[in-house]
Amino acid sequence: MSEILLTGFEPFGGDPRNPSSEACSMLDGEVVAGHRVRALCLPTAFKVAALKLLRQMARQRPALVIATGLAVGRAEITPERFALNFADARIPDNRGRQPRAKVLVRGAPLAYASTLPVDRIVARLHAAGIPATPSLSAGAFVCNELFFRLRHATETTSLRVGFIHVPYASEHVVVRPGTPSLPLAMIAQALRLAVQTSLE
Ligand code: PCA
């Protein structure tokens, strides 16, 4: 059976949990639209995360790759439109690296568009009563870097790949009172629908 690769990140920035990897693991092993979902948790670290993802893709040869991460402060599920060839970290990553105003890949385009059907995903989530909106950019931290390297590596292929930022999970919000959040089960359902929509 062909496979879908779904990735999330380990906790970072002092937070004890990261809903992105937790929601992905909730889907691990599930069959969605005839494809087996495999979840992978990536280290929140520049370069290392992308290396691990690309290695897994070479082994697994998935039919679709959706990477996800936490965007603290966002209230909705946000499929990203563009990956930027740029890193500018406000905080160090989990290995202490903090690139400031750096080009990621010299000679590569300034940006790549997602090859996921971003607007159809958002419409599908709205139809399911899940708050969602397209986002222009994944920022300039590890999530954007992963998305950029993923797009760069697949530019000459027909593989659909993209990135979705998720809000804080309501189950974790006790750590950050007042932060916008969605229940983990809703985040997982959003990812399931995003996979389905991307395969249509
Ligand atoms: N969010 C961070 C990195 C890991 C994660 O889950 C980001 O938005 O870059």
Side-chain angles (χ1 to χ4, degrees):
M1 182 181 289
S2 87
E3 295 191 338
I4 307 297
L5 180 56
L6 211 52
T7 74
F9 277 103
E10 66 187 16
F12 67 101
D15 266 325
R17 324 244 317 238
N18 190 324
S20 66
S21 45
E22 294 190 24
C24 291
S25 3
M26 287 165 79
L27 302 189
D28 187 48
E30 232 179 70
V31 175
V32 178
H35 297 68
R36 176 87 56 195
V37 175
R38 292 286 169 220
L40 177 69
C41 180
L42 297 172
T44 304
F46 284 102
K47 289 204 173 138
V48 187
L51 264 179
K52 186 168 174 187
L53 170 59
L54 296 177
R55 272 201 206 114
Q56 177 63 26
M57 286 167 63
R59 267 196 298 269
Q60 186 187 342
R61 306 236 153 259
L64 169 73
V65 181
I66 301 185
T68 74
L70 164 66
V72 176
R74 288 193 192 170
E76 298 167 294
I77 304 289
T78 48
E80 300 293 347
R81 287 201 194 279
F82 296 105
L84 299 181
N85 189 1
F86 187 68
D88 194 21
R90 269 186 306 103
I91 56 168
D93 70 10
N94 287 1
R95 310 245 169 135
R97 303 184 91 199
Q98 190 174 6
R100 300 308 309 251
K102 288 263 162 52
V103 166
L104 293 173
V105 180
R106 251 172 241 296
L110 183 58
Y112 288 114
S114 178
T115 47
L116 299 183
V118 166
D119 294 290
R120 278 201 290 125
I121 291 172
V122 167
R124 184 72 170 271
L125 297 187
H126 286 171
I130 300 175
T133 192
S135 161
L136 197 58
S137 136
F141 193 48
V142 178
C143 288
N144 172 71
E145 191 236 14
L146 179 80
F147 183 19
F148 186 83
R149 293 194 192 279
L150 171 62
R151 272 299 281 109
H152 188 60
T154 53
E155 176 60 357
T156 57
T157 74
S158 57
L159 183 65
R160 276 194 158 172
V161 302
F163 195 96
I164 300 180
H165 261 123
V166 305
Y168 223 63
S170 316
E171 288 85 346
H172 307 167
V173 89
V174 58
V175 204
R176 286 178 175 268
T179 305
S181 65
L182 292 176
L184 256 183
M186 186 179 273
I187 296 175
Q189 175 62 3
L191 299 181
R192 195 178 282 120
L193 293 172
V195 168
Q196 264 168 24
T197 310
S198 302
L199 290 169
E200 277 158 11

